[in-house]
Amino acid sequence: MKKKLLFVPAWYPSDDDPVSGVFIQEQAHALSEEYDVAVLIPGMAAWRNVARSGTPDRSSQNTSAQVPVYREFALPLVPHGSEAIDYQTFARAAEKGFQRLLKEFGRPDLIHTHVVLPAGWSALKLGRRHSIPVVLTEHSSPFSMHLDTPFKRQLVKETLNGVDQVVAISPALEKQLLAFEPQLKIKVIGELVSTDFFVPATNGHKPDLKTPMKFFVVARLAEQKGLTHLIRAVHLLQLRETRPFELWLGGDGPDRAELEQLARELGVAERCHFLGQLSRHEVKEWLQKSDVFVLSSLHETFGVVVGEAMACGKPVIVTRCGGPEFIVTDETGTLVDVADSEALAGAMSDFISRRIGFDTSNVRASVVNRFGPEAFLRNISKVYEELW
């Protein structure tokens, strides 16, 4: 009989935001091959929605890839209350949803929560109340996002010390956690990369010197992703490079208009193509037909999309922004300094001129062996078994 596993994530895909926490959803689906998995997402309802029907603040249950997903909401005791009231509301929603889940799914053997606030703290209370071990995986980038008030720091400290095991998704994030709470015992397990979905193209092309080198990036168009430095790198390349190249940018975000304006001001608008928001299938298609993936982020705790590009057999150019150093090796790509347009341009130029190249099969094997579904299941199951 399979052990029962309950996910309690702070982020998870929804109809309104199908991208949020998709990597956590993929973990739940992968683990369902070995365990009975359910997902409980506690939320805080808004008082303004109380009298409205058809609002998102309604408890629900649906099933995705054989994984039941419970969404449970609770109203804060007073509108616009204190931080303490908000977090107690999440805890009440978690307990309410847990009681419903017990009747339909059964008692979990382990709770695996994702992101310390508010999910991790709420899950810890569940675990203590019902004598169930709790594993916390932290994904936040940067972790300091949870430390901006004394009350949050208190909850974070209580949660990190209260759960049975803390998991960090990269050595960089482990370092951030230990800077806050030095005595923690942390296991480092990278994010799952869906190497069964992200695969090399069956008719992959080999670029020649006459074909434009296609660089591709997909990201939220926001400051954290360092895209101004990437567009300035394109400008530097245009001044120096005689061979054809182009940059394709997937994604949307608050900085899109500013980035498009920068491309026009620098005279590289014809080389920088903004694709807008892409579906998961479209991301795979663009990865497959590009030549090199570029990540110019200022900070990342892992960089799942880097692994997805590598799973498609694509070499990568990434900044040393934390997580990517855990993924990329000399055999799979190039690491450059953060916020350095000159370094980005130099790395891109090496590809344009064909001074550098990587073996597709080696690039893919690197991520499959370390972060593919089988590797993830093997590594996280060791954590579970130690607690059982």
Side-chain angles (χ1 to χ4, degrees):
M1 187 174 179
K2 290 183 177 180
K3 293 276 192 178
K4 290 185 180 295
L5 178 64
L6 175 62
F7 264 35
V8 182
W11 314 323
Y12 208 76
S14 65
D15 292 340
D16 293 333
D17 191 350
V19 177
S20 176
V22 67
F23 46 88
I24 299 174
Q25 181 187 59
E26 289 171 352
Q27 291 186 19
H29 290 177
L31 287 166
S32 69
E33 298 293 323
E34 186 72 21
Y35 307 99
D36 282 335
V37 181
V39 178
L40 172 60
I41 306 164
M44 184 168 63
W47 275 93
R48 66 179 179 274
N49 291 334
V50 170
R52 295 167 55 192
S53 61
T55 71
D57 301 349
R58 302 288 178 181
S59 299
S60 64
Q61 191 270 322
N62 61 73
T63 300
S64 171
Q66 300 182 334
V67 175
V69 178
Y70 295 82
R71 296 182 185 273
E72 192 67 61
F73 293 87
L75 271 173
L77 298 178
V78 295
H80 311 296
S82 65
E83 284 183 302
I85 288 177
D86 287 349
Y87 283 100
Q88 288 294 341
T89 303
F90 277 101
R92 286 193 292 111
E95 179 61 35
K96 181 181 173 184
F98 187 82
Q99 292 301 324
R100 185 157 62 99
L101 179 141
L102 280 177
K103 298 175 183 176
E104 301 175 11
F105 176 73
R107 177 184 171 83
D109 296 291
L110 184 141
I111 297 173
H112 189 162
T113 185
H114 296 260
V115 185
V116 66
L117 294 180
W121 183 75
S122 302
L124 174 60
K125 294 181 78 67
L126 282 179
R128 284 176 170 174
R129 185 176 296 115
H130 300 280
S131 300
I132 300 172
V134 180
V135 173
L136 165 67
T137 294
E138 190 53 61
H139 305 261
S140 302
S141 176
F143 182 69
S144 58
M145 66 188 290
H146 300 296
L147 308 177
D148 57 334
T149 70
F151 183 72
K152 285 185 180 179
R153 289 195 290 274
Q154 174 190 331
L155 296 189
V156 169
K157 185 180 289 286
E158 177 185 334
T159 305
L160 293 177
N161 287 294
V163 298
D164 296 276
Q165 180 64 59
V166 176
V167 175
I169 59 171
S170 69
L173 184 52
E174 178 190 31
K175 186 176 180 180
Q176 293 178 49
L177 290 164
L178 291 174
F180 176 72
E181 200 70 353
Q183 82 286 352
L184 291 176
K185 302 299 182 184
I186 301 172
K187 295 185 184 295
V188 177
I189 299 175
E191 298 281 27
L192 182 149
V193 177
S194 294
T195 54
D196 296 339
F197 179 78
F198 289 96
V199 296
T202 54
N203 57 344
H205 71 285
K206 291 186 177 181
D208 55 54
L209 292 176
K210 296 181 180 179
T211 303
M213 174 70 70
K214 287 186 174 65
F215 295 96
F216 176 60
V217 56
V218 59
R220 185 169 183 266
L221 305 189
E223 182 181 3
Q224 175 198 342
K225 302 303 180 179
L227 294 167
T228 57
H229 305 290
L230 182 55
I231 291 174
R232 293 186 185 281
V234 172
H235 176 241
L236 293 174
L237 281 171
Q238 181 168 270
L239 297 176
R240 308 168 186 169
E241 193 61 62
T242 59
R243 299 179 180 87
F245 72 94
E246 52 196 17
L247 173 66
W248 295 82
L249 300 97
D252 211 338
D255 290 358
R256 177 168 179 172
E258 179 183 330
L259 293 168
E260 290 179 324
Q261 178 62 26
L262 178 62
R264 288 192 292 269
E265 290 175 356
L266 296 177
V268 294
E270 292 185 357
R271 293 188 187 270
C272 297
H273 309 282
F274 290 82
L275 299 167
Q277 192 66 45
L278 300 177
S279 70
R280 188 168 173 75
H281 283 275
E282 288 171 329
V283 170
K284 178 171 74 170
E285 290 171 0
W286 274 101
L287 286 171
Q288 289 175 337
K289 64 186 177 184
S290 66
D291 298 308
V292 183
F293 180 79
V294 187
L295 184 85
S296 54
S297 292
L298 306 182
H299 56 83
E300 296 281 352
T301 51
F302 186 76
V304 174
V305 70
V306 176
E308 292 169 349
M310 292 166 59
C312 292
K314 302 302 175 180
V316 297
I317 299 171
V318 297
T319 51
R320 296 184 183 91
C321 59
E325 294 98 296
F326 185 41
I327 309 171
V328 181
T329 67
D330 291 341
E331 289 72 40
T332 58
T334 302
L335 289 162
V336 300
D337 289 339
V338 169
D340 191 336
S341 298
E342 187 71 45
L344 283 167
M348 294 166 76
S349 180
D350 285 341
F351 281 98
I352 294 169
S353 63
R354 312 314 193 260
R355 290 190 295 269
I356 191 171
F358 296 87
D359 181 84
T360 296
S361 60
N362 288 342
V363 172
R364 175 172 167 78
S366 174
V367 72
V368 169
N369 294 338
R370 298 178 63 205
F371 307 114
E374 290 185 6
F376 174 80
L377 182 59
R378 180 174 61 251
N379 292 331
I380 199 65
S381 291
K382 290 179 181 177
V383 174
Y384 298 163
E385 293 298 333
E386 287 178 7
L387 296 181
W388 286 326

